[in-house]
Amino acid sequence: MSQLRCPKCESMEATKSGIVGGRQRYKCRNCGYHYSVAKAGKETNPYYVIKALQLYIEGVSYREIERLLGVSHVSVMNWVKKYGVKAPRQPDYHPTYKILNQKELAEFFQHPENLKGSGMMITELGDKYMLIKWERFRQG
């Protein structure tokens, strides 16, 4: 009848068994288990998943990533868990970031004092650019 496998016993033998929540429900002939077809949920563009994981590795907090990318911080936490991403400990450095358009980015690089005293990375963020700098915590 269907090419769907029973999630409980992997059997291909199923019959239709009504509609629940607008989705077709099936009953496995082998074990009697009722199940529905996979929910066609909203899938996040992989671009945002990759950017979120990059920002997480750079030390940006879940809530900041939520504000920057417009995706839920819970989604970011789930992606970190799903892909097994671990951010390295950063006891002596902390990231700061700026969101700049192309003109502002070019002006930033015009000033040599902006290029000294910290590491930095630039990543695309839609039609803008994110500049991430790592600055050493002041010991004092």
Side-chain angles (χ1 to χ4, degrees):
M1 149 97 217
S2 173
Q3 294 300 323
L4 298 174
R5 290 189 180 273
C6 172
K8 195 169 184 180
C9 73
E10 300 288 319
S11 172
M12 299 285 281
E13 302 285 323
T15 58
K16 288 184 176 182
S17 183
I19 294 178
V20 176
R23 297 185 302 172
Q24 181 65 56
R25 185 176 182 209
Y26 297 92
K27 180 178 180 183
C28 177
R29 287 184 178 170
N30 189 39
C31 69
Y33 184 72
H34 284 92
Y35 60 96
S36 296
V37 293
K39 181 179 179 187
K42 171 174 109 173
E43 189 172 315
T44 304
N45 185 332
Y47 171 85
Y48 291 103
V49 176
I50 292 166
K51 286 296 177 192
L53 295 175
Q54 284 176 339
L55 293 172
Y56 174 75
I57 289 171
E58 299 305 335
V60 180
S61 73
Y62 292 128
R63 298 273 182 175
E64 277 302 301
I65 296 169
E66 177 179 48
R67 283 189 273 282
L68 292 168
L69 299 180
V71 297
S72 165
H73 67 280
V74 175
S75 293
V76 177
M77 285 189 280
N78 289 336
W79 297 332
V80 166
K81 193 185 308 182
K82 177 179 179 179
Y83 295 107
V85 174
K86 293 192 191 300
R89 275 185 8 116
Q90 301 171 347
D92 297 336
Y93 293 91
H94 67 96
T96 59
Y97 63 89
K98 295 179 182 191
I99 308 294
L100 306 167
N101 64 32
Q102 186 176 1
K103 182 180 177 195
E104 293 167 332
L105 187 62
E107 288 174 11
F108 181 85
F109 283 113
Q110 299 282 320
H111 304 285
E113 66 272 9
N114 289 336
L115 307 176
K116 296 179 182 170
S118 65
M120 85 178 73
M121 178 181 96
I122 300 165
T123 185
E124 178 189 14
L125 196 59
D127 62 342
K128 300 197 186 240
Y129 299 91
M130 176 185 286
L131 177 106
I132 303 172
K133 291 179 79 173
W134 294 271
E135 297 173 319
R136 194 179 281 275
F137 283 122
R138 303 274 186 237
Q139 303 292 332

